[in-house]
Amino acid sequence: MGTDFFERQEIANRKAARLFWLYLPAICLFLVIGAASVASLVTLGCWSLYTKTSVSGGGVHWWYALWIGCVAAVFTLGFLLFEIYAKWRSLNRGIETVAVRLGGSEVSRRSTDPIHRRVTNVVEEMAIASGVPPPSVYVLEEERGINAFVIGFSINNAVLGVTRGSLELLTRDELQAVIAHEFSHILNGDMQFNARMIAMLHGVIRIKLWGEECYAQSNTDDGDNLVATVAGGLLVTVGSVGVFFSRILKSAICRQREYIADAAAVQFTRNPAALVSALKKIGGLADGSRVRSPRVEEASHLFFGEGRGKKTLAILATHPRLEDRIRCFEPGFDGRFQEITAAYPTSWEQVTRRNPQIAALEERLRTASHERGELVASAALVPAVVSQQIGTLSPEYLNLAAAMLAALPLSLRDASGTCVGAEAVVLGLLVVEGGGEREAKIRLIENIVGEPVASHARTIMEELVGLQVELRLPLVETAIPALRHLTSSEFRDFKQAMKSLVEADRKVTLFELVLQRLVVHQLERQFEHERQRHADYFSIRSVQKQFAILLSLVAHSGNREASSAIAAFERGAGLVRSPRVVLQLTQRKHCSLKDVDRALATLATASLPVKKQVITACAACVVADGEVTVREAILFRLISECLDCPIPPVLL
C-alpha cells in the first residue's frame, strides 16, 4: 500500500486491460470450439437423417448437411456472444443480482437481529471512514461457512455479501477485519474487473449447461437418443475443459490480489490478530469458507476465502493457502487449526464499537460549533498528506466514523433506514438549510413526492434543525442504501423535489449544492443506467479554465479578505507543475456555484493524474491559513465526490 489512490487506480486499470486481453482470447477460443461442436453435431445429425431417407444416395445431401452445420455454428457463436452481452447488461442494470443468485437477502438497518445490526454498523463505519457510499449489505442465510465478497462497477453501486456463518462465528473485530479486506477491493479497483470476469465466463458455463440439458433430454426420450447423448457428452466435455482453464486463469489473476487485500485490511485496522484469527477459524471449521450455492463457480473469484471449499486443487484455487496467508502476519504458525464448533454469542452491546477515544470524539461532535470544524488534525494541514488519504482507511478515521454514528439521534438513524424515512431525511435537511417558511416547503414536498414523506419530514424536523453541521453529511450517507430501493419514477420525483427545494428561495447555498450533487451522483448510475465515465482530458492545460474557477471558489470560501484569498489561491496554483498553464483568480462575484457545478462536470472526465493535481491544489488552498472551516470541509467533500475520489473525513 505504498502508492496513493491515483497510482493504485492507474495500476489496476492497466492490469485489468492486460488481463482482459489475456482472458478474452481464451474465452473466445472455447466459444468457437463450442460452436464448432454444435456444427459438427448438426452436420452429423443431418447426414444421418438424409442417408436414411434418401433413395439416390448422397453427394448433394452431404454438402447440404455441411451448409446447415456452418449456419448452426454461426448462430451458436452469435448466441453465446449475445449471452455474454446480456449477462453484462444484466449486471450493469442490477449488480445486486449476483448476491441474490448466491442466495443472499438484503439486510435492513432496522433489523431486530443483533448480528444483522452489527454487520450494518461495521459497514457504515467503514464507509464513512473511507469516504465511499455504504454498500448494500446482503446475507447468505443458508451458508454456514465463513466468507464474504464485494461486487460492483463503481464505488457508488457496490454490493457487499457475507455468509451467515461469518456473522455467527466471528467476533466484531474479526468481522471488521474481513469487511476491511473487502473494502480494499473497492478502493483498489478490483471489483470492476471481477464483474467483467463473471460476464465473460458466463458463455463458457453456458456451453456446459447445454450439454447437461442434452443429457437430461436423452434420458427422458422414448425413441432414439444417441444424438442427444453424443451431443450432451461433447458439449459437457468442451464446457468442462473451458471451465477448467478459466479456473486456472482466475487463479493466476486473483491470488496476488488476496495478499494485497489482506495487507490493506491490517493497515486499515492495525489489528493483524483479528484477521489472523478469522483465517484460523476458517481452517478449524468443517465447512471452512465453502459456499454451497450452485452459482458459486461464476463468483468464486469474488470471495474472501476459497468458495469451492478446502479440497480445491492448488492449481485451480482462486485464493492462496490459509497457512500462507496467516504466515504473512504470524511467521511461526505451525499449520494446526483448532476445531470450531460453537457460534460466537452476539449481544446488543456488541452491535456498536465503544472505547474511550470514540466516547471523547462523540462528545466533541455533540458540542461542536456550527461555524468551524473542531476536529482538524495537524497532519491533515499538509496538502500532500490530505491527497494521500484518498482511498485509504485508518483506525483514527474508524473511531471518528463510529463517533459520528453514535452522535446521530437514534430516531434519525432509524428514519434513514427506510425509503420514506430516507427521502424525508434528505428533503428535510434541504428545508432546514434554505430560507423561507418551512411549512410551505413541506407542502411542496407533499405535492411532489406524497404525503407520507412530508408527514415524516414534519416528525423529524426539530431534530434536523438541532443536528450539528458536521453530522449532516454522515446522516445522508446512512440514507443512501435505503434510497436505492426507490423505483425509477419515485427517484425522478425525489430528484425533482430536491431541485425544487434548492430553487425555492432563488439562491443556492453550498450545502444545498453539496447535498443535491452527492445524492444524485451516488444514485444516478442505478436509476439512469449511466455509463462508466472514461477520461476525455489528459492535461491540466485542457481544463485550466474550469480548474481556475474551482480553485477560486475554494480560495474565496475560507477567506473573507481579498489578500488572504489571493494567497490561498497562489498556494494551490503553485503546486501545478506545467509551465504552459497560467491560473488566474476569478473574482468572487463571477464565481457562482452553478459555474463551479459545470466546472466539476468537466473535471470529472479528466484523467487520474489530472484529478490528483486538482485535489492536491484544492487541499493546499483550503489549509493555506492553517484553519479549516466547516464550509471549506464540505466544499472539499463535494470536489472529491464529483471526481470519484473517496476521501476520509480528514477535514472534519
Side-chain angles (χ1 to χ4, degrees), residues 484-549:
R484 293 189 183 116
H485 290 280
L486 296 173
T487 64
S488 295
S489 61
E490 287 172 340
F491 178 69
R492 284 194 298 270
D493 291 341
F494 175 61
K495 191 175 175 182
Q496 180 59 43
M498 285 194 294
K499 185 173 183 292
S500 299
L501 288 173
V502 169
E503 297 174 349
D505 54 1
R506 298 185 179 181
K507 64 178 181 179
V508 181
T509 68
L510 177 61
F511 181 80
E512 287 174 332
L513 176 64
V514 171
L515 180 56
Q516 185 182 23
R517 292 296 300 147
L518 183 146
V519 173
V520 171
H521 182 71
Q522 293 185 7
L523 296 176
E524 63 186 350
R525 182 181 178 90
Q526 175 173 338
F527 291 104
E528 300 176 5
H529 308 301
E530 182 194 60
R531 292 187 176 183
Q532 191 171 355
R533 292 172 179 162
H534 297 285
D536 295 325
Y537 304 98
F538 298 90
S539 68
I540 284 290
R541 187 180 183 186
S542 62
V543 291
Q544 66 178 6
K545 179 181 177 181
Q546 292 81 3
F547 186 21
I549 292 173

Side-chain angles (χ1 to χ4, degrees), residues 24-36:
L24 183 62
I27 297 298
C28 289
L29 174 62
F30 287 109
L31 295 183
V32 170
I33 292 174

Side-chain angles (χ1 to χ4, degrees), residues 16 18 36 117 205 232 290 320 334 338 342 344 350 361-362 365 373 381 385 390 432 500 563 578 620 638:
R18 288 197 301 267
R117 293 288 291 271
I205 293 177
R290 183 179 179 184
D334 60 7
Q338 183 178 354
Y344 178 78
Q350 297 159 344
L361 286 169
E362 180 185 349
L365 282 167
L381 297 179
V385 173
I390 294 173
V432 171
S500 299
S563 58
S578 179
L638 171 66

Side-chain angles (χ1 to χ4, degrees), residues 118-295:
R118 185 180 66 169
V119 70
T120 56
N121 267 29
V122 170
V123 170
E124 285 179 348
E125 288 172 12
M126 288 278 177
I128 292 173
S130 61
V132 305
S136 300
V137 180
Y138 283 74
V139 174
L140 281 58
E141 294 288 358
E142 301 301 320
E143 302 294 349
R144 299 303 167 186
I146 298 174
N147 225 326
F149 68 91
V150 69
I151 184 72
F153 286 102
S154 74
I155 61 174
N156 293 321
N157 74 336
V159 170
L160 189 144
V162 62
T163 62
R164 182 78 185 188
S166 299
L167 302 185
E168 292 180 345
L169 296 167
L170 299 180
T171 67
R172 196 183 199 281
D173 285 348
E174 292 164 352
L175 181 63
Q176 186 181 61
V178 171
I179 300 300
H181 173 107
E182 299 306 322
F183 262 77
S184 76
H185 287 310
I186 297 176
L187 297 171
N188 291 339
D190 296 334
M191 63 180 185
Q192 292 92 332
F193 182 73
N194 287 343
R196 296 188 184 102
M197 199 181 298
I198 288 178
M200 294 170 68
L201 183 59
H202 181 69
V204 176
I205 293 177
R206 189 64 180 165
I207 296 173
K208 185 179 178 182
L209 291 176
W210 279 349
E212 292 173 351
E213 289 169 5
C214 286
Y215 261 132
Q217 186 66 29
S218 69
N219 292 330
T220 58
D221 285 346
D222 295 329
D224 185 9
N225 56 16
L226 178 61
V227 173
T229 302
V230 173
L234 184 58
L235 291 176
V236 167
T237 300
V238 172
S240 298
V241 172
V243 170
F244 175 80
F245 282 102
S246 296
R247 286 182 179 180
I248 293 177
L249 284 173
K250 283 200 294 185
S251 300
I253 292 169
C254 297
R255 288 180 192 169
Q256 191 60 36
R257 293 189 316 184
E258 296 306 314
Y259 283 124
I260 295 172
D262 283 346
V266 170
Q267 178 181 332
F268 293 162
T269 63
R270 291 185 197 158
N271 190 358
L275 181 67
V276 168
S277 180
L279 293 170
K280 286 181 177 179
K281 283 188 175 180
I282 292 176
L285 186 65
D287 280 327
S289 55
R290 183 179 179 184
V291 176
R292 297 182 179 274
S293 168
R295 301 272 183 176

